[in-house]
Amino acid sequence: MIVPKSAAPVADPSIALSVEEKFKIEPDKPDIEHVQVEDDPRAWSTARKNLVLFIVASASLIAGLAANIYNPAITKIEADLHTSSGQISLSLSLFILLQGSVPLIWTAISEIEGRKIVYLLSILISIVGCIVAAEAKSIEVLIAARCLQAIGSSAVISIGAATLADIYDPSERGTMMGVYYAAPLLGPALGPIIGGVLTQVLSWRATFWFLVIFMSMCLALFALFFKDTFRRERSLTYQTVLHHHQARAALEASKRSSTSTIVEALGEVKDGDVKSEKEDLESANPGPRPHPIKEVRLKLTDVNPFPPLLLVLRRWNNLATLTASGFIYGFSYCISYTCARTLELKYNYNALQTGLVLLSYGVGSIGGSILGGRWSDHVLKKLRAAHDGQGPPELRLQSIKPVMFLLPLPVIAYAWLAQEHVHVASLCAALFFAGFFSIWIYSSTLAYIVDANMGRSSAAVATNSCFRGTTAFLFAEVAVPLQGSIGDGGLYTLWTGLLVLCELLLLLVLYKGGMWREKAEVREREAAESEDSAMAVKK
């Protein structure tokens, strides 16, 4: 059979539109975060939302506790397992690195199976790690167990923020992100105290059994009371995959329609030949014209975590914000770690006394997280009200401008108070305000990252976690050598300069971020169109 060239299939032009473009050009269609879904989590009652927030926030304590609870027992672990300080440091830095990078994988799984299964599986892995650590007879086993703990505890940090994005509108997110992030900040504050008490009264192994009990309670809460908040219709990854399947189905239908027209054009051929041609075509293209595809089953290849990560990083507004928030988190980890050494070596404090002093930093951080989140929501609502309820996500960053002038002051104060071994009361005051102002800024940047990446909130938060883990790992490795060579005064004078640079980056995002984001969105839509056109030509 000869097929005329004019009968080549022509793709429907509408399929060349990307998902993001369709949401933008159809005036009656909401943005992807407000697509109609069954059992809309944002329509849940306040009590139900508060229950979700309580469960997720409680579980987020796992990460901070697991990272810090056994620090007061380091000397006893070294003696019991006959290990070196270098191996102990490796167990700490590997924990931080894995806790920051593994969320990329958990995010990908949550795009396929939903949030709940990720919570259950990750906490179960962390429980296994704690049990192995509690029974470890060598440092190698302990390091491996700590890695399991890091892999398991890492999920809540990234998926937790995405869960809040599932149930709260942008106008509420700052407040709820602040409440949520206050919980993991309790870990570094309470961890040394709990670890110190358990180590002195029982043994260092008791710290891991404590974690087993706490994690088991969180696991029960998720299993019994948590209902999944993920709705794939609001996932940009899912919508993109669905769009591609629809495009392929439309092209196949167009191709079949064209071949059917060819058969009709062969009517002048004798009946036997026509029947033969029709049978051949029907055998090659069996079945009726396919119905529009309503849903697809995602595969792991569809949710490869690295393409979304690259898309997040290709936006200059994201890159600048992630760099700033990563350094702020690195500062938080560095000051907690080096302050503990200063108190033990220069103030001759025991583990419990050290934990009580560090509590001042934790309390300041919690206050900054809660109040900073509420203030960012207030500022965002006020500015959007002045613009008829509209406004870009960058408006949220207006809330951190007053704090930017205040953050360097307690940091430089701590630098020389610690260097000169001034009374511990002044040290506590500097720690409190350093934690308060730094986390005030951090909570707002976390909310901005979610707002500025609609449909990719979990990928954006996982990328943020990766930045945090990487910077914390680097500063964990260099903090002690720098402290030994230039002292607390030099180290935190350096940190003051770095934090000022971070603030300048955030100011740049405030004034230029909207333009960068819009250009990136246009570039991504054009890339989607090009991909669809290439697929049409291939077909």
mmCIF file of all heavy atoms in Angstrom, residues 91-122:
data_model
loop_
_atom_site.group_PDB
_atom_site.id
_atom_site.type_symbol
_atom_site.label_atom_id
_atom_site.label_comp_id
_atom_site.label_asym_id
_atom_site.label_seq_id
_atom_site.Cartn_x
_atom_site.Cartn_y
_atom_site.Cartn_z
ATOM 1 N N SER A 91 31.772 10.323 62.480
ATOM 2 C CA SER A 91 30.381 9.921 62.714
ATOM 3 C C SER A 91 29.454 11.134 62.769
ATOM 4 O O SER A 91 28.294 11.069 62.352
ATOM 5 C CB SER A 91 30.273 9.112 64.018
ATOM 6 O OG SER A 91 30.460 9.949 65.149
ATOM 7 N N LEU A 92 29.967 12.267 63.244
ATOM 8 C CA LEU A 92 29.172 13.488 63.302
ATOM 9 C C LEU A 92 28.993 14.115 61.923
ATOM 10 O O LEU A 92 27.886 14.467 61.515
ATOM 11 C CB LEU A 92 29.836 14.504 64.246
ATOM 12 C CG LEU A 92 29.879 14.140 65.737
ATOM 13 C CD1 LEU A 92 30.758 15.132 66.490
ATOM 14 C CD2 LEU A 92 28.485 14.134 66.326
ATOM 15 N N SER A 93 30.099 14.252 61.181
ATOM 16 C CA SER A 93 30.039 14.940 59.886
ATOM 17 C C SER A 93 29.290 14.113 58.840
ATOM 18 O O SER A 93 28.553 14.669 58.015
ATOM 19 C CB SER A 93 31.449 15.265 59.388
ATOM 20 O OG SER A 93 32.253 14.104 59.305
ATOM 21 N N LEU A 94 29.460 12.779 58.869
ATOM 22 C CA LEU A 94 28.713 11.936 57.936
ATOM 23 C C LEU A 94 27.217 12.008 58.213
ATOM 24 O O LEU A 94 26.394 12.004 57.288
ATOM 25 C CB LEU A 94 29.188 10.480 58.027
ATOM 26 C CG LEU A 94 30.480 10.129 57.304
ATOM 27 C CD1 LEU A 94 30.840 8.664 57.543
ATOM 28 C CD2 LEU A 94 30.367 10.394 55.804
ATOM 29 N N PHE A 95 26.877 12.085 59.471
ATOM 30 C CA PHE A 95 25.467 12.208 59.845
ATOM 31 C C PHE A 95 24.872 13.467 59.224
ATOM 32 O O PHE A 95 23.793 13.442 58.616
ATOM 33 C CB PHE A 95 25.336 12.247 61.373
ATOM 34 C CG PHE A 95 23.918 12.282 61.867
ATOM 35 C CD1 PHE A 95 23.284 11.114 62.248
ATOM 36 C CD2 PHE A 95 23.207 13.476 61.943
ATOM 37 C CE1 PHE A 95 21.967 11.126 62.701
ATOM 38 C CE2 PHE A 95 21.891 13.508 62.385
ATOM 39 C CZ PHE A 95 21.279 12.329 62.772
ATOM 40 N N ILE A 96 25.561 14.573 59.350
ATOM 41 C CA ILE A 96 25.058 15.851 58.830
ATOM 42 C C ILE A 96 24.957 15.813 57.307
ATOM 43 O O ILE A 96 23.973 16.273 56.718
ATOM 44 C CB ILE A 96 25.976 17.000 59.273
ATOM 45 C CG1 ILE A 96 26.034 17.081 60.797
ATOM 46 C CG2 ILE A 96 25.495 18.331 58.700
ATOM 47 C CD1 ILE A 96 27.146 17.957 61.308
ATOM 48 N N LEU A 97 25.984 15.259 56.661
ATOM 49 C CA LEU A 97 26.002 15.224 55.202
ATOM 50 C C LEU A 97 24.848 14.386 54.654
ATOM 51 O O LEU A 97 24.140 14.801 53.731
ATOM 52 C CB LEU A 97 27.336 14.664 54.714
ATOM 53 C CG LEU A 97 27.537 14.636 53.195
ATOM 54 C CD1 LEU A 97 27.509 16.050 52.616
ATOM 55 C CD2 LEU A 97 28.849 13.948 52.840
ATOM 56 N N LEU A 98 24.640 13.202 55.220
ATOM 57 C CA LEU A 98 23.554 12.328 54.748
ATOM 58 C C LEU A 98 22.189 12.924 55.070
ATOM 59 O O LEU A 98 21.262 12.837 54.266
ATOM 60 C CB LEU A 98 23.690 10.939 55.380
ATOM 61 C CG LEU A 98 24.830 10.074 54.849
ATOM 62 C CD1 LEU A 98 24.969 8.813 55.688
ATOM 63 C CD2 LEU A 98 24.595 9.717 53.391
ATOM 64 N N GLN A 99 22.073 13.517 56.222
ATOM 65 C CA GLN A 99 20.803 14.114 56.602
ATOM 66 C C GLN A 99 20.414 15.252 55.662
ATOM 67 O O GLN A 99 19.233 15.518 55.444
ATOM 68 C CB GLN A 99 20.876 14.633 58.046
ATOM 69 C CG GLN A 99 19.520 14.924 58.657
ATOM 70 C CD GLN A 99 19.634 15.380 60.091
ATOM 71 O OE1 GLN A 99 20.133 16.467 60.378
ATOM 72 N NE2 GLN A 99 19.177 14.542 61.014
ATOM 73 N N GLY A 100 21.407 15.884 55.055
ATOM 74 C CA GLY A 100 21.118 16.959 54.126
ATOM 75 C C GLY A 100 20.881 16.510 52.704
ATOM 76 O O GLY A 100 20.097 17.125 51.976
ATOM 77 N N SER A 101 21.529 15.423 52.264
ATOM 78 C CA SER A 101 21.465 15.031 50.856
ATOM 79 C C SER A 101 20.395 13.986 50.553
ATOM 80 O O SER A 101 19.801 14.002 49.468
ATOM 81 C CB SER A 101 22.832 14.497 50.402
ATOM 82 O OG SER A 101 23.265 13.439 51.229
ATOM 83 N N VAL A 102 20.119 13.090 51.477
ATOM 84 C CA VAL A 102 19.157 12.008 51.228
ATOM 85 C C VAL A 102 17.723 12.496 50.996
ATOM 86 O O VAL A 102 16.969 11.830 50.289
ATOM 87 C CB VAL A 102 19.211 10.964 52.369
ATOM 88 C CG1 VAL A 102 18.121 9.919 52.227
ATOM 89 C CG2 VAL A 102 20.575 10.288 52.388
ATOM 90 N N PRO A 103 17.304 13.658 51.547
ATOM 91 C CA PRO A 103 15.941 14.121 51.260
ATOM 92 C C PRO A 103 15.589 14.210 49.782
ATOM 93 O O PRO A 103 14.411 14.156 49.425
ATOM 94 C CB PRO A 103 15.907 15.504 51.923
ATOM 95 C CG PRO A 103 16.808 15.370 53.082
ATOM 96 C CD PRO A 103 17.927 14.494 52.601
ATOM 97 N N LEU A 104 16.578 14.352 48.910
ATOM 98 C CA LEU A 104 16.293 14.363 47.474
ATOM 99 C C LEU A 104 15.621 13.056 47.049
ATOM 100 O O LEU A 104 14.710 13.050 46.214
ATOM 101 C CB LEU A 104 17.591 14.568 46.687
ATOM 102 C CG LEU A 104 18.276 15.931 46.849
ATOM 103 C CD1 LEU A 104 19.637 15.907 46.178
ATOM 104 C CD2 LEU A 104 17.410 17.040 46.284
ATOM 105 N N ILE A 105 16.072 11.942 47.634
ATOM 106 C CA ILE A 105 15.492 10.639 47.297
ATOM 107 C C ILE A 105 14.115 10.492 47.938
ATOM 108 O O ILE A 105 13.163 10.016 47.312
ATOM 109 C CB ILE A 105 16.431 9.515 47.751
ATOM 110 C CG1 ILE A 105 17.779 9.626 47.022
ATOM 111 C CG2 ILE A 105 15.800 8.146 47.492
ATOM 112 C CD1 ILE A 105 18.825 8.662 47.495
ATOM 113 N N TRP A 106 13.992 10.897 49.200
ATOM 114 C CA TRP A 106 12.696 10.818 49.865
ATOM 115 C C TRP A 106 11.649 11.658 49.139
ATOM 116 O O TRP A 106 10.478 11.274 49.036
ATOM 117 C CB TRP A 106 12.815 11.294 51.314
ATOM 118 C CG TRP A 106 13.537 10.370 52.247
ATOM 119 C CD1 TRP A 106 14.603 10.668 53.041
ATOM 120 C CD2 TRP A 106 13.251 8.985 52.500
ATOM 121 N NE1 TRP A 106 14.997 9.575 53.769
ATOM 122 C CE2 TRP A 106 14.179 8.517 53.456
ATOM 123 C CE3 TRP A 106 12.306 8.092 52.005
ATOM 124 C CZ2 TRP A 106 14.196 7.224 53.928
ATOM 125 C CZ3 TRP A 106 12.315 6.791 52.478
ATOM 126 C CH2 TRP A 106 13.242 6.365 53.427
ATOM 127 N N THR A 107 12.060 12.805 48.628
ATOM 128 C CA THR A 107 11.141 13.660 47.884
ATOM 129 C C THR A 107 10.631 12.952 46.639
ATOM 130 O O THR A 107 9.429 13.011 46.315
ATOM 131 C CB THR A 107 11.845 14.976 47.492
ATOM 132 O OG1 THR A 107 12.223 15.679 48.678
ATOM 133 C CG2 THR A 107 10.941 15.853 46.649
ATOM 134 N N ALA A 108 11.538 12.278 45.927
ATOM 135 C CA ALA A 108 11.134 11.554 44.718
ATOM 136 C C ALA A 108 10.126 10.453 45.049
ATOM 137 O O ALA A 108 9.130 10.261 44.339
ATOM 138 C CB ALA A 108 12.369 10.961 44.036
ATOM 139 N N ILE A 109 10.371 9.732 46.146
ATOM 140 C CA ILE A 109 9.447 8.664 46.540
ATOM 141 C C ILE A 109 8.084 9.241 46.915
ATOM 142 O O ILE A 109 7.036 8.667 46.584
ATOM 143 C CB ILE A 109 10.036 7.850 47.709
ATOM 144 C CG1 ILE A 109 11.337 7.164 47.266
ATOM 145 C CG2 ILE A 109 9.039 6.811 48.208
ATOM 146 C CD1 ILE A 109 12.066 6.470 48.395
ATOM 147 N N SER A 110 8.076 10.390 47.579
ATOM 148 C CA SER A 110 6.805 10.991 47.992
ATOM 149 C C SER A 110 5.978 11.438 46.796
ATOM 150 O O SER A 110 4.750 11.527 46.889
ATOM 151 C CB SER A 110 7.058 12.185 48.925
ATOM 152 O OG SER A 110 7.531 13.314 48.210
ATOM 153 N N GLU A 111 6.619 11.718 45.657
ATOM 154 C CA GLU A 111 5.889 12.095 44.448
ATOM 155 C C GLU A 111 5.187 10.885 43.821
ATOM 156 O O GLU A 111 4.284 11.040 43.004
ATOM 157 C CB GLU A 111 6.840 12.722 43.430
ATOM 158 C CG GLU A 111 7.431 14.050 43.848
ATOM 159 C CD GLU A 111 6.440 15.192 43.771
ATOM 160 O OE1 GLU A 111 5.505 15.105 42.951
ATOM 161 O OE2 GLU A 111 6.577 16.160 44.537
ATOM 162 N N ILE A 112 5.622 9.682 44.187
ATOM 163 C CA ILE A 112 5.008 8.459 43.648
ATOM 164 C C ILE A 112 3.998 7.881 44.639
ATOM 165 O O ILE A 112 2.853 7.578 44.288
ATOM 166 C CB ILE A 112 6.079 7.395 43.341
ATOM 167 C CG1 ILE A 112 7.089 7.922 42.334
ATOM 168 C CG2 ILE A 112 5.436 6.115 42.813
ATOM 169 C CD1 ILE A 112 8.246 6.981 42.071
ATOM 170 N N GLU A 113 4.415 7.726 45.879
ATOM 171 C CA GLU A 113 3.610 7.019 46.870
ATOM 172 C C GLU A 113 2.902 7.924 47.870
ATOM 173 O O GLU A 113 2.085 7.448 48.658
ATOM 174 C CB GLU A 113 4.501 6.024 47.639
ATOM 175 C CG GLU A 113 5.205 5.008 46.754
ATOM 176 C CD GLU A 113 4.250 4.060 46.059
ATOM 177 O OE1 GLU A 113 3.088 3.949 46.501
ATOM 178 O OE2 GLU A 113 4.655 3.433 45.054
ATOM 179 N N GLY A 114 3.223 9.215 47.870
ATOM 180 C CA GLY A 114 2.612 10.114 48.840
ATOM 181 C C GLY A 114 3.495 10.344 50.053
ATOM 182 O O GLY A 114 4.569 9.753 50.193
ATOM 183 N N ARG A 115 3.043 11.222 50.940
ATOM 184 C CA ARG A 115 3.851 11.610 52.107
ATOM 185 C C ARG A 115 3.864 10.542 53.202
ATOM 186 O O ARG A 115 4.895 10.291 53.822
ATOM 187 C CB ARG A 115 3.319 12.908 52.709
ATOM 188 C CG ARG A 115 2.975 14.011 51.728
ATOM 189 C CD ARG A 115 4.176 14.633 51.079
ATOM 190 N NE ARG A 115 3.790 15.839 50.353
ATOM 191 C CZ ARG A 115 4.401 16.280 49.274
ATOM 192 N NH1 ARG A 115 5.431 15.614 48.779
ATOM 193 N NH2 ARG A 115 4.017 17.385 48.674
ATOM 194 N N LYS A 116 2.721 9.926 53.475
ATOM 195 C CA LYS A 116 2.601 9.070 54.649
ATOM 196 C C LYS A 116 3.556 7.894 54.614
ATOM 197 O O LYS A 116 4.227 7.598 55.610
ATOM 198 C CB LYS A 116 1.156 8.565 54.780
ATOM 199 C CG LYS A 116 0.919 7.733 56.036
ATOM 200 C CD LYS A 116 -0.556 7.443 56.256
ATOM 201 C CE LYS A 116 -0.787 6.682 57.548
ATOM 202 N NZ LYS A 116 -2.217 6.485 57.854
ATOM 203 N N ILE A 117 3.646 7.214 53.482
ATOM 204 C CA ILE A 117 4.521 6.046 53.398
ATOM 205 C C ILE A 117 5.974 6.438 53.609
ATOM 206 O O ILE A 117 6.770 5.681 54.190
ATOM 207 C CB ILE A 117 4.332 5.317 52.037
ATOM 208 C CG1 ILE A 117 5.111 4.009 52.018
ATOM 209 C CG2 ILE A 117 4.767 6.212 50.889
ATOM 210 C CD1 ILE A 117 4.622 2.990 53.018
ATOM 211 N N VAL A 118 6.334 7.646 53.174
ATOM 212 C CA VAL A 118 7.709 8.123 53.382
ATOM 213 C C VAL A 118 7.976 8.337 54.863
ATOM 214 O O VAL A 118 9.032 7.944 55.385
ATOM 215 C CB VAL A 118 7.953 9.423 52.585
ATOM 216 C CG1 VAL A 118 9.294 10.039 52.965
ATOM 217 C CG2 VAL A 118 7.915 9.138 51.091
ATOM 218 N N TYR A 119 7.028 8.953 55.556
ATOM 219 C CA TYR A 119 7.194 9.136 57.001
ATOM 220 C C TYR A 119 7.362 7.796 57.713
ATOM 221 O O TYR A 119 8.272 7.617 58.535
ATOM 222 C CB TYR A 119 5.976 9.863 57.582
ATOM 223 C CG TYR A 119 5.903 11.337 57.254
ATOM 224 C CD1 TYR A 119 4.749 11.886 56.690
ATOM 225 C CD2 TYR A 119 6.963 12.186 57.524
ATOM 226 C CE1 TYR A 119 4.670 13.238 56.396
ATOM 227 C CE2 TYR A 119 6.888 13.541 57.233
ATOM 228 C CZ TYR A 119 5.739 14.057 56.670
ATOM 229 O OH TYR A 119 5.664 15.394 56.388
ATOM 230 N N LEU A 120 6.499 6.850 57.418
ATOM 231 C CA LEU A 120 6.545 5.557 58.109
ATOM 232 C C LEU A 120 7.845 4.818 57.828
ATOM 233 O O LEU A 120 8.491 4.294 58.746
ATOM 234 C CB LEU A 120 5.344 4.704 57.678
ATOM 235 C CG LEU A 120 3.956 5.244 58.062
ATOM 236 C CD1 LEU A 120 2.865 4.358 57.475
ATOM 237 C CD2 LEU A 120 3.815 5.327 59.583
ATOM 238 N N LEU A 121 8.231 4.767 56.557
ATOM 239 C CA LEU A 121 9.441 4.032 56.187
ATOM 240 C C LEU A 121 10.694 4.687 56.751
ATOM 241 O O LEU A 121 11.580 4.004 57.285
ATOM 242 C CB LEU A 121 9.532 3.949 54.654
ATOM 243 C CG LEU A 121 10.739 3.199 54.077
ATOM 244 C CD1 LEU A 121 10.745 1.755 54.549
ATOM 245 C CD2 LEU A 121 10.721 3.263 52.551
ATOM 246 N N SER A 122 10.774 6.009 56.662
ATOM 247 C CA SER A 122 11.988 6.698 57.128
ATOM 248 C C SER A 122 12.160 6.580 58.636
ATOM 249 O O SER A 122 13.268 6.352 59.128
ATOM 250 C CB SER A 122 11.943 8.166 56.715
ATOM 251 O OG SER A 122 10.852 8.834 57.322
#
